[in-house]
Amino acid sequence: MNWFEKLLPPKIKTSASATKRGVPEGLWTKCKTCNAVLYRAELERNLDVCPKCDHHMRIGARKRLDCFLDPEGRQEIGVQLRPVDVLKFRDERKYRDRLHDAQKKTDEPDALVVLQGTLKGLPLVSCAFEFGFMGGSMGSVVGERFVLGVERCLEQDLPLVCFCASGGARMQEGLFSLMQMAKTSAALRRLSDRGLPYVSVLTDPTTGGVSASLGMLGDVNVGEPNALIGFAGPRVIEQTVRQTLPEGFQRSEFLLEHGAIDMILDRRDMRDRIHSLLSMMLGK
Amino acid sequence: MNFLEFEQPIAELEAKIDELRHVTVNGEVSITEEITRLQKKSQRLTESIFSTLSSWQVSQLARHPQRPFTLDYVHRMLTDFQELKGDRAFADDHAIVGGIGRLDGRPVMVIGQQKGRDTKEKLFRNFGMPKPEGYRKALRLMRMAERFHMPVLTFIDTPGAYPGVGAEERGQSEAIARNLFEMAALRVPLIATVIGEGGSGGALAIGVCDHLIMLQYATYSVISPEGCASILWKSAERASDAAEAMGITANRLRELELVDEIVPEPLGGAHRDPDAAAKTLRGTLLTAVTRFAELPVEELLRLRAERTRNFGNFQESA
């Protein structure tokens, strides 16, 4: 009890539940790093970066592309593609049901959104993983949409920017998922052979088959501050080496130190910095 | 001979045959007939058990400690083999071996994961789990093969890429990704064979190819059955369910058109007769190498690109 509550007569004390009822849900949110209570609208204006401690919160694929691309002239690529359950996969639950739930929860048919648009007037293709959709896992639809994005770049001489957020390949599609690693990497090889730039932005978290294919293949690899990036997840490594991992292991700063990424960019600077990079790489 | 749990009836019969053999030394003729009868029975029993293996049982065969490993095949199939080591940057990874040899006279580059048989060798080979330097050595050898116009034969046999602190520090993800990227455009034939365990990205990193072969009792999967079970079923005990659900056997993957060719193994698995297994595989590889080496490079690359581009299953909505 704080000093103010102590002063109040018992009759006018409000119960905790009554207070909750009075505030519309989602108006306020708490930063999980610094515990600051933040006004939701202000946080969104700040691109979901905590104004107090600069913690970069996870954001969905649409929102990511929305704050990265210019508002006008966007066109979605591979919008017609839908996942299928070839293996009739079933664990505790059916893959079909998991897909259905993920689609309802995220309002996306699968875990990658690809848009053609412009960045400060520069035409490009940009794609983003939806981590909320089965952990941003890569199955056949993700692979195909990514490759269609690359092929649009090849057709129109455009650069590519991808925002990764994924646990890796999607187990429920078996070996088809693994092969998406080969498929997406081969497409990037074609892009590279044509001299078109590819910037890979690794956001929290990027691990497994996505990190070990399209994620690490950028001409420029960018990390978001404090993002978890790696091949094996930290739990798997702990079980293998039987020791607790050092503080900051597999975070962007660690990858920068070990030479795996070129830079760490604040989300609020990405439009400017990536535009500048691409312009130079394209000789503009 | 080392028998798996589901092979116990065969093991018991074989033990009986062995006992009888010791008696024969004393010169009883009728016992020889008895032995022949029991051997036939053992063969029928093996045939019957092996005709209905579950995915999990195949998985155990794929990891059988007596199963022939990469170097066992290399020494049986190639002449003049010379091992080449090191990534020229950090170390030589003993979990991946590579080198040049002759297949029916034709120089070829072979690269494969290598497991160990006893404890000491298992540790030396890191259980067949490569680190970034292993994948970088593999890439160095592939580029060398390209320079000297040699087809590349890869042998896949790994539980997966090593999940360790050093491997992460040296860029495990990048090493795997780089191989996928470079192999897509390598200007020589790439023939990949899964000889044992094809574990995830760690397997694929030497698995991009023009022609994918699997031995009859090999497995190839996006994650190990145990890994899949512990994530989706929350218990590694359900590995057999996971193995079934993911479709990891050669037969299932052939049905799904992810594998081009299956090489049959001797009755009871390759470890029962490594010489015969190597001989069959050698014949298959020879045919594949000849076929792809004849193609003009541009055609070879076009076919590889098409093969890779077509991986996947999805619907197109209106």
Side-chain angles (χ1 to χ4, degrees):
Chain A
M1 218 182 267
N2 63 29
W3 65 271
F4 180 69
E5 279 174 289
K6 277 182 199 157
L7 285 179
L8 292 173
K11 263 184 275 177
I12 55 166
K13 270 188 185 170
T14 49
S15 72
S17 64
T19 319
K20 260 185 199 160
R21 228 179 290 137
V23 180
E25 203 161 316
L27 198 57
W28 296 90
T29 190
K30 205 166 162 184
C31 171
K32 66 170 188 172
T33 305
C34 71
N35 287 324
V37 177
L38 307 166
Y39 185 42
R40 185 79 228 158
E42 190 198 338
L43 182 64
E44 278 182 27
R45 271 196 302 276
N46 208 34
L47 310 183
D48 285 69
V49 176
C50 173
K52 304 274 191 287
C53 74
D54 286 343
H55 171 65
H56 284 53
M57 301 180 187
R58 291 177 182 175
I59 58 172
R62 292 277 163 195
K63 204 167 176 182
R64 169 72 70 176
L65 294 173
D66 209 42
C67 65
F68 181 67
L69 295 172
D70 299 336
E72 61 285 339
R74 297 175 187 177
Q75 191 193 3
E76 187 161 353
I77 296 170
V79 67
Q80 73 287 0
L81 300 174
R82 296 286 176 281
V84 290
D85 176 21
V86 188
L87 299 177
K88 306 260 180 297
F89 193 99
R90 173 176 200 147
D91 47 84
E92 305 279 74
R93 301 182 56 213
K94 288 182 186 162
Y95 176 39
R96 293 176 76 105
D97 295 341
R98 285 189 193 265
L99 276 176
H100 185 77
D101 287 0
Q103 286 164 345
K104 246 172 89 178
K105 182 178 129 198
T106 60
D107 209 19
E108 297 293 345
D110 213 309
L112 187 79
V113 178
V114 188
L115 295 181
Q116 177 173 359
T118 56
L119 171 66
K120 300 178 82 178
L122 181 89
L124 83 173
V125 172
S126 185
C127 53
F129 280 78
E130 175 57 60
F131 190 73
F133 194 106
M134 298 184 76
S137 56
M138 178 161 69
S140 294
V141 170
V142 170
E144 181 71 13
R145 281 188 167 183
F146 185 86
V147 173
L148 288 176
V150 172
E151 286 172 349
R152 179 67 60 87
C153 292
L154 291 168
E155 281 158 27
Q156 301 188 17
D157 282 328
L158 304 175
L160 178 69
V161 178
C162 177
F163 295 89
C164 297
S166 170
R170 187 173 298 166
M171 292 174 283
Q172 290 89 344
E173 291 185 24
L175 204 64
F176 287 108
S177 296
L178 188 73
M179 294 306 167
Q180 302 311 308
M181 293 171 65
K183 176 168 166 170
T184 53
S185 302
L188 288 173
R189 173 67 198 232
R190 285 196 281 157
L191 193 71
S192 173
D193 286 347
R194 276 280 295 280
L196 294 168
Y198 169 46
V199 175
S200 173
V201 184
L202 306 155
T203 78
D204 188 60
T206 301
T207 57
V210 169
S211 152
S213 60
L214 59 98
M216 281 294 165
L217 290 173
D219 293 300
V220 177
N221 291 337
V222 177
E224 266 199 336
N226 201 40
L228 178 79
I229 305 162
F231 175 65
R235 251 188 315 151
V236 177
I237 298 175
E238 260 174 353
Q239 281 162 12
T240 310
V241 301
R242 295 181 196 286
Q243 66 189 52
T244 42
L245 301 168
E247 178 74 23
F249 179 66
Q250 293 185 312
R251 296 288 164 180
S252 298
E253 296 70 14
F254 172 94
L255 270 87
L256 186 68
E257 200 55 43
H258 285 89
I261 59 176
D262 294 275
M263 60 183 80
I264 295 173
L265 288 184
D266 188 300
R267 189 177 292 160
R268 293 160 294 189
D269 298 333
M270 276 201 198
R271 272 174 58 84
D272 288 345
R273 294 286 298 272
I274 293 178
H275 173 263
S276 154
L277 274 172
L278 291 177
S279 305
M280 289 189 273
M281 291 162 90
L282 289 163
K284 287 184 180 173
Chain B
M1 193 50 71
N2 203 324
F3 288 97
L4 296 168
E5 207 180 312
F6 66 87
E7 293 178 296
Q8 275 319 306
I10 308 169
E12 281 162 26
L13 204 52
E14 290 291 330
K16 207 178 274 176
I17 294 170
D18 244 22
E19 262 173 47
L20 278 176
R21 274 215 186 92
H22 289 295
V23 182
T24 330
V25 180
N26 300 334
E28 287 269 351
V29 183
S30 61
I31 290 176
T32 318
E33 281 168 27
E34 180 65 6
I35 288 178
T36 318
R37 197 183 63 80
L38 285 179
Q39 275 172 335
K40 274 190 189 143
K41 193 177 165 193
S42 170
Q43 179 163 353
R44 278 199 305 275
L45 187 64
T46 311
E47 276 166 12
S48 127
I49 288 177
F50 275 73
S51 64
T52 57
L53 293 178
S54 70
S55 298
W56 181 235
Q57 286 167 337
V58 172
S59 194
Q60 288 166 275
L61 279 170
R63 301 166 175 175
H64 198 293
Q66 244 67 48
R67 198 169 168 82
F69 300 141
T70 295
L71 288 175
D72 297 312
Y73 286 111
V74 166
H75 291 308
R76 284 173 172 85
M77 296 191 307
L78 303 184
T79 52
D80 299 343
F81 176 70
Q82 307 220 36
E83 193 178 340
L84 304 172
K85 298 184 181 182
D87 69 344
R88 298 293 188 269
F90 180 75
D92 181 48
D93 187 347
H94 306 133
I96 285 198
V97 294
I100 309 177
R102 290 180 188 274
L103 179 70
D104 196 34
R106 179 202 292 272
V108 293
M109 179 69 78
V110 293
I111 296 163
Q113 285 112 356
Q114 178 69 27
K115 291 182 176 178
R117 210 150 268 133
D118 58 33
T119 310
K120 203 177 145 198
E121 208 198 344
K122 276 180 185 161
L123 287 170
F124 179 70
R125 298 294 182 187
N126 197 31
F127 301 87
M129 292 187 283
K131 295 172 186 166
E133 50 273 24
Y135 294 118
R136 287 171 185 146
K137 167 167 74 174
L139 183 58
R140 177 177 79 84
L141 296 181
M142 287 188 257
R143 284 185 172 140
M144 180 172 160
E146 188 175 50
R147 235 165 22 250
F148 300 110
H149 311 290
M150 293 175 191
V152 177
L153 308 180
T154 67
F155 296 94
I156 295 168
D157 191 14
T158 180
Y162 185 61
V165 175
E168 293 289 328
E169 287 174 340
R170 297 191 293 280
Q172 188 72 288
S173 284
E174 195 274 346
I176 295 172
R178 187 63 50 199
N179 282 14
L180 304 180
F181 183 84
E182 295 295 339
M183 291 173 89
L186 200 78
R187 300 173 69 81
V188 286
L190 283 163
I191 316 288
T193 308
V194 190
I195 58 170
E197 212 179 349
S200 186
L204 185 65
I206 58 164
V208 174
C209 60
D210 301 303
H211 193 68
L212 179 60
I213 299 165
M214 271 181 89
L215 290 192
Q216 189 177 359
Y217 302 124
T219 59
Y220 200 176
S221 61
V222 63
I223 182 172
S224 71
E226 291 90 340
C228 178
S230 66
I231 296 170
L232 293 180
W233 279 266
K234 316 268 180 250
S235 155
E237 308 282 300
R238 302 292 294 275
S240 73
D241 294 305
E244 210 62 61
M246 285 193 293
I248 63 173
T249 64
N251 282 331
R252 185 80 180 101
L253 294 171
R254 181 80 192 89
E255 279 168 20
L256 296 168
E257 296 179 4
L258 285 163
V259 166
D260 300 300
E261 194 171 358
I262 300 176
V263 173
E265 293 186 29
L267 182 62
H271 59 289
R272 296 291 188 93
D273 192 346
D275 290 334
K279 197 176 166 212
T280 320
L281 180 56
R282 183 179 185 275
T284 306
L285 287 174
L286 199 54
T287 311
V289 164
T290 311
R291 180 176 139 209
F292 287 95
E294 273 172 10
L295 295 175
V297 177
E298 295 313 318
E299 176 70 358
L300 179 79
L301 293 179
R302 192 188 64 75
L303 289 172
R304 189 184 304 154
E306 197 178 283
R307 185 179 188 282
T308 314
R309 178 71 184 79
N310 288 336
F311 287 134
N313 267 288
F314 41 80
Q315 272 174 350
E316 304 212 19
S317 72

